[in-house]
Amino acid sequence: AGPLASPSSSSRRAMAMAVLVESFGGPEVMRVRHTELPPLTSSQVLVNIKAAGVNPSDTYLRLGPEGPYAGNPQLLPKLPYTPGKDGAGVVEAVGSEVSDVAVGDRVYTTNAVTGTYASHAVCESRTVYPLPAVTSFAQGACIGVPCATAFYALHIRGALAPGDRVFIHGASGAVGLAAVQLARFLAGPEALVAGSAGTAEGEAAVLAVGASLAVNHRSVGYMDVLKKAAPEGFDVILEMFAHVNLPTDLALASHRAIICIVGSRSEDIRLNPRHFMNSEVDVRGVFLSMASPAEVAAVHASLRSFLVDGSLKPVVGLQLPLSDAPTAHREVMRPSAGGACG
């Protein structure tokens, strides 16, 4: 789903209007409360949040021990907590050792300390980046996970080169729509960039951001359409649902293609190892949290350049008030807007 619009706050810096999760469970456990923020350390920044990004991982954390992180309880937040890592807004205060941003700067953040579903959030300065004037706060809230993951997958893990044929298997979500735009820039204007979606609205969204071809992955014969478009296969494939689609990706891959797994359920699947051998295909995992500090810095420097020159325009699928956080969590997992969300 798109970002949550935060109401402006005239309260003291140490206070925030925030969504609190006081018990794990469904979307209904999220409620808006006044909460006190911790004092800034020397390396931290206080951001007046104008919009918060909503990502699927936010819903997994909210589910707690009953969700996808059941096997990794150390990754779950301590209750109560405020959801959200991504957001955009204006710097309101900085720690004594912060020199890269200043009070009044427009910024986006990628890993807020206190959660971005709030009027204000405390952030480490290293996770706060300048937001170009051409980029709205709502768009800025869509950068941290979706756009950074897309670029990290294509450029660093996928080694996308000019002229490569690209297929984004599941392109109508936030990561996919960003990936289509970035692939178009990185592979070149004449390169084949194909994407799939599950609805006609999703296909239209994929085409609208620059794809050469959009297919419906729920339709019988969509693989035939892709094979006709790329008889020699695709050189880079981004996969959002690997536990279902990885065998299909292997059938669509070119010689020495790179398949990047961006998303998958934790399920065992059956694969014939010969499929890897015959085409000498590489299958690589993509987990943004594992990127090195140098890679993270390079990703965000590149994203800023793309935002400024217009190569990347984050797609905002839906905007809701802070009080509608439960609706945002339902939408990000099952979009009502035809499968297209940003």
Side-chain angles (χ1 to χ4, degrees):
L4 297 169
S6 170
S8 60
S9 173
S10 59
S11 60
R12 293 181 293 114
R13 290 176 180 171
M15 297 297 296
M17 185 72 78
V19 171
L20 282 187
V21 174
E22 297 173 299
S23 62
F24 294 119
E28 68 281 355
V29 302
M30 295 186 292
R31 294 182 173 87
V32 177
R33 298 280 193 268
H34 280 99
T35 185
E36 187 173 1
L37 298 176
L40 295 183
T41 68
S42 61
S43 64
Q44 291 179 336
V45 174
L46 180 68
V47 179
N48 180 354
I49 300 293
K50 303 297 185 181
V54 180
N55 296 297
S57 58
D58 298 344
T59 74
Y60 306 154
L61 292 173
R62 189 206 69 237
L63 289 169
E66 303 302 318
Y69 290 142
N72 301 99
Q74 74 278 7
L75 299 179
L76 295 174
K78 293 182 180 179
L79 297 171
Y81 77 97
T82 294
K85 295 297 185 183
D86 291 353
V90 177
V91 175
E92 224 174 70
V94 300
S96 60
E97 297 179 5
V98 175
S99 59
D100 47 351
V101 294
V103 172
D105 285 356
R106 300 174 82 252
V107 297
Y108 70 92
T109 183
T110 62
N111 194 17
V113 174
T114 60
T116 56
Y117 293 17
S119 62
H120 294 74
V122 174
C123 313
E124 289 293 337
S125 63
R126 68 177 181 276
T127 68
V128 174
Y129 302 91
L131 184 67
V134 296
T135 307
S136 70
F137 288 120
Q139 291 175 315
C142 301
I143 297 172
V145 168
C147 297
T149 297
F151 185 71
Y152 179 66
L154 289 169
H155 182 64
I156 296 177
R157 299 298 292 149
L160 180 61
D164 279 352
R165 299 175 294 270
V166 184
F167 175 47
I168 299 159
H169 209 164
S172 63
V175 175
L177 293 172
V180 170
Q181 297 177 68
L182 294 169
R184 168 60 62 218
F185 177 83
L186 295 170
E190 302 304 320
L192 173 62
V193 177
S196 77
T199 65
E201 294 87 350
E203 289 181 79
V206 172
L207 290 172
V209 294
S212 319
L213 170 69
V215 296
N216 189 319
H217 49 231
R218 293 194 174 104
S219 298
V220 175
Y222 82 95
M223 283 183 61
D224 295 332
V225 176
L226 292 167
K227 287 181 177 180
K228 183 177 180 180
E232 296 180 2
F234 290 90
D235 304 303
V236 177
I237 298 174
L238 263 57
E239 177 53 62
M240 312 296 175
F241 218 52
H243 61 287
V244 172
N245 295 328
L246 188 55
T248 299
D249 297 330
L250 288 167
L252 293 170
S254 67
H255 179 232
R256 295 185 177 174
I258 297 175
I259 300 173
C260 295
I261 298 178
V262 177
S264 179
R265 290 181 185 168
S266 182
E267 296 179 8
D268 293 334
I269 62 173
R270 295 186 64 182
L271 283 173
N272 183 345
R274 293 290 305 187
H275 292 313
F276 295 87
M277 297 167 60
N278 294 344
S279 296
E280 297 186 309
V281 172
D282 283 357
V283 177
R284 301 179 179 181
V286 176
F287 193 48
L288 188 59
S289 296
M290 297 303 294
S292 69
E295 288 171 334
V296 170
V299 165
H300 288 282
S302 295
L303 290 178
R304 176 173 172 77
S305 175
F306 299 143
L307 291 166
V308 170
D309 70 17
S311 301
L312 174 63
K313 296 179 180 179
V315 178
V316 179
L318 182 66
Q319 296 186 70
L320 295 167
L322 203 59
S323 58
D324 273 352
T327 300
H329 272 216
R330 295 184 186 101
E331 286 288 325
V332 78
M333 299 308 294
R334 296 180 181 275
S336 60
C341 63

